[in-house]
Amino acid sequence: MNKYFVTLLIAVFILFSCKKENQSTSILTKENISGYVQKGPFINGTSISINELNTNLSQTGKVYNTQVVDNKGSFNFGNVELKSNYVSLRADGFYFNEISGEQSKSQITLYALSDVSNKSSVNINLLTHLEKARIEYLISEGIDFQDAKKQALSEIIKIFSINEATETTSETLDIAKKGDDNGKLLAISLILQGYRSEGELTELLSNISTDIREDGILDNKTLGSELINHTVYLNLNSIRENLEKRFSDLGVNAEVPDFEKYINAFIENSTFDITASLIEYPSLGENGKNILDLNELIYGDAEFSLAANLHQGTKLKIKITSLGTKDFFMQPFTVKNWTMSVYNETTKSQYFTAIDSDKNCDLLMVFDSGDFLIEYFEMGALEPNRTKIIRSK
């Protein structure tokens, strides 16, 4: 064996050894990757998967699976080995609906994209889900991953009239902790949920994701109106109580963030038009002119309908008070989806409460000639959302 050939063999061995060493050091080992899945908190048994992605955010084929292990939405992956820093997480499960105060009736799916090179905690929420398609598009346009994440999040929160910068990434946010950024997440989650079914929420998220994918702007005004239409009916006190009770029942020492200011800012500053009411008061009911019609104050007949059409998840209570010596009466055999309090002889008033949402209410009412105060308590409000004084001739 000549000296040249020996030298060549040594060089090949050294090159192969270096290549092998470089390959081994390229493995990213994470002892744990943990986090929370939150809409409200997802419940025990929610399926979680983590997919390794390449630099183009395409799946490499490596997948790890686990489940949420409690009703706080917490999960943990142990001993994760990756050749890439980038991962996609997916959660499929039921969740606590903080607006209704009940568990969701159906499952939803949420996603998150993250660079886990310097983190071992990744939360999955509506912001991580909404930004996914936008990030993927920005990456395809040559934008760096971190810059794409930052840009997508900034664009999304502006849709909800939040113009102040968010100091962290979406996957670090937590609705069980105080702080403005956590308040933004909770507010946006509530606006998106509204009084929608899980199917309606999933459709809305998909439509918004598609709309903002290429320019980061919600151009579809119909989608924007869907957001504001529901937001104006949110009962913020009830939502806070529902969340605080839920966390307390779970033994979680939570500090629900100040989400209210972001909800109110969206209502005040949004450019989206309110195009529909979740509680409708038609001009005519099954028994004649509707005494609840917001546009009518003078009634010439004696018999009227007490009519309202309720969207899913809505609540309504009506109080009628005689402002003089005259009185009003009802015909119990005509009642439809109302329950009535006992008539108060002292205050000359009576309450009418809708039994079920997603149904119509009606009742035949008879009024003497006189003036009457109508008070509307919508969505469980303790004070009337609106009032009017009617005159029956």
Side-chain angles (χ1 to χ4, degrees):
M1 184 178 295
N2 61 42
K3 188 181 297 184
Y4 173 80
F5 185 72
V6 171
T7 303
L8 181 61
L9 282 176
I10 293 172
V12 169
F13 176 78
I14 292 173
L15 180 63
F16 179 80
S17 298
C18 290
K19 183 178 181 181
K20 195 170 183 180
E21 182 178 353
N22 287 339
Q23 286 177 337
S24 64
T25 57
S26 68
I27 299 295
L28 176 64
T29 301
K30 308 295 291 188
E31 184 176 340
N32 289 288
I33 296 179
S34 60
Y36 293 95
V37 192
Q38 296 174 335
K39 163 49 210 71
F42 272 56
I43 70 167
N44 198 347
T46 295
S47 299
I48 310 291
S49 64
I50 183 169
N51 288 267
E52 181 184 63
L53 306 176
N54 61 24
T55 54
N56 294 323
L57 301 189
S58 297
Q59 295 185 11
T60 66
K62 178 170 283 191
V63 183
Y64 292 88
N65 295 289
T66 190
Q67 287 186 331
V68 164
V69 295
D70 53 35
N71 289 324
K72 298 180 289 186
S74 58
F75 64 88
N76 181 70
F77 291 93
N79 301 315
V80 177
E81 291 189 349
L82 303 167
K83 293 182 180 180
S84 169
N85 299 337
Y86 306 116
V87 296
S88 171
L89 289 91
R90 170 175 171 156
D92 298 275
F94 296 88
Y95 62 93
F96 176 74
N97 184 326
E98 58 274 62
I99 295 175
S100 68
E102 301 174 348
Q103 178 182 306
S104 66
K105 293 178 174 60
S106 304
Q107 297 188 46
I108 64 170
T109 300
L110 297 182
Y111 290 94
L113 296 177
S114 185
D115 178 351
V116 295
S117 56
N118 294 311
K119 62 168 67 82
S120 58
S121 178
V122 180
N123 295 335
I124 308 171
N125 52 58
L126 288 191
L127 283 176
T128 65
H129 183 85
L130 272 185
E131 70 182 13
K132 180 177 181 290
R134 179 62 175 151
I135 292 170
E136 291 170 339
Y137 179 81
L138 291 171
I139 294 292
S140 72
E141 293 293 297
I143 305 293
D144 172 79
F145 182 83
Q146 301 302 334
D147 290 338
K149 286 273 291 183
K150 184 176 181 180
Q151 180 176 334
L153 181 57
S154 175
E155 291 167 341
I156 289 170
I157 64 173
K158 285 180 180 178
I159 294 171
F160 302 90
S161 301
I162 301 173
N163 295 313
E164 61 188 68
T166 300
E167 300 300 326
T168 186
T169 57
S170 57
E171 67 267 35
T172 64
L173 301 179
D174 187 343
I175 66 171
K177 295 181 179 179
K178 64 180 180 180
D180 284 345
D181 288 341
N182 294 322
K184 295 170 190 174
L185 168 63
L186 181 51
I188 291 171
S189 297
L190 294 168
I191 292 169
L192 290 164
Q193 174 67 72
Y195 296 93
R196 298 177 177 87
S197 67
E198 293 76 38
E200 290 170 336
L201 173 60
T202 297
E203 181 181 20
L204 178 65
L205 293 173
S206 297
N207 289 339
I208 293 176
S209 295
T210 299
D211 186 277
I212 67 174
R213 179 177 176 272
E214 295 187 5
D215 62 7
I217 300 171
L218 187 60
D219 301 300
N220 188 323
K221 300 304 181 184
T222 300
L223 293 177
S225 290
E226 287 185 27
L227 296 177
I228 194 67
N229 287 346
H230 284 239
T231 304
V232 295
Y233 282 95
L234 294 178
N235 186 324
L236 305 188
N237 291 331
S238 176
I239 290 168
R240 177 169 287 278
E241 290 173 3
N242 290 340
L243 268 175
E244 290 177 345
K245 183 179 185 302
R246 178 65 171 178
F247 286 127
S248 176
D249 290 345
L250 294 174
V252 178
N253 185 24
E255 294 182 276
V256 178
D258 182 5
F259 66 90
E260 292 91 344
K261 64 182 179 182
Y262 297 110
I263 296 285
N264 290 326
F266 181 62
I267 293 173
E268 293 171 8
N269 302 322
S270 175
T271 59
F272 300 128
D273 295 326
I274 297 175
T275 57
S277 174
L278 300 189
I279 301 177
E280 298 176 346
Y281 306 103
S283 59
L284 293 175
E286 296 178 8
N287 300 288
K289 294 182 68 175
N290 183 16
I291 208 73
L292 299 181
D293 181 4
L294 299 174
N295 299 312
E296 193 71 47
L297 299 177
I298 306 298
Y299 293 83
D301 300 321
E303 296 185 353
F304 312 103
S305 268
L306 187 74
N309 304 332
L310 276 63
H311 186 279
Q312 175 182 303
T314 55
K315 299 177 182 179
L316 177 64
K317 180 167 65 176
I318 298 295
K319 181 182 180 182
I320 302 178
T321 304
S322 174
L323 298 180
T325 59
K326 302 301 183 178
D327 224 329
F328 59 91
F329 313 90
M330 63 176 181
Q331 298 291 349
F333 61 87
T334 66
V335 66
K336 180 179 180 181
N337 201 37
W338 289 115
T339 182
M340 290 78 68
S341 69
V342 175
Y343 179 77
N344 189 316
E345 296 284 354
T346 303
T347 62
K348 299 180 75 66
S349 63
Q350 189 171 15
Y351 286 95
F352 302 81
T353 304
I355 299 172
D356 296 317
S357 67
D358 206 21
K359 289 184 178 181
N360 297 340
C361 305
D362 212 319
L363 175 62
L364 174 60
M365 301 287 295
V366 179
F367 286 76
D368 291 336
S369 297
D371 294 338
F372 302 87
L373 172 65
I374 312 292
E375 296 176 274
Y376 304 71
F377 298 81
E378 299 172 335
M379 314 310 295
L382 299 178
E383 299 294 330
N385 304 88
R386 60 184 92 231
T387 64
K388 72 170 183 173
I389 296 175
I390 66 167
R391 174 165 292 178
S392 175
K393 294 184 177 181

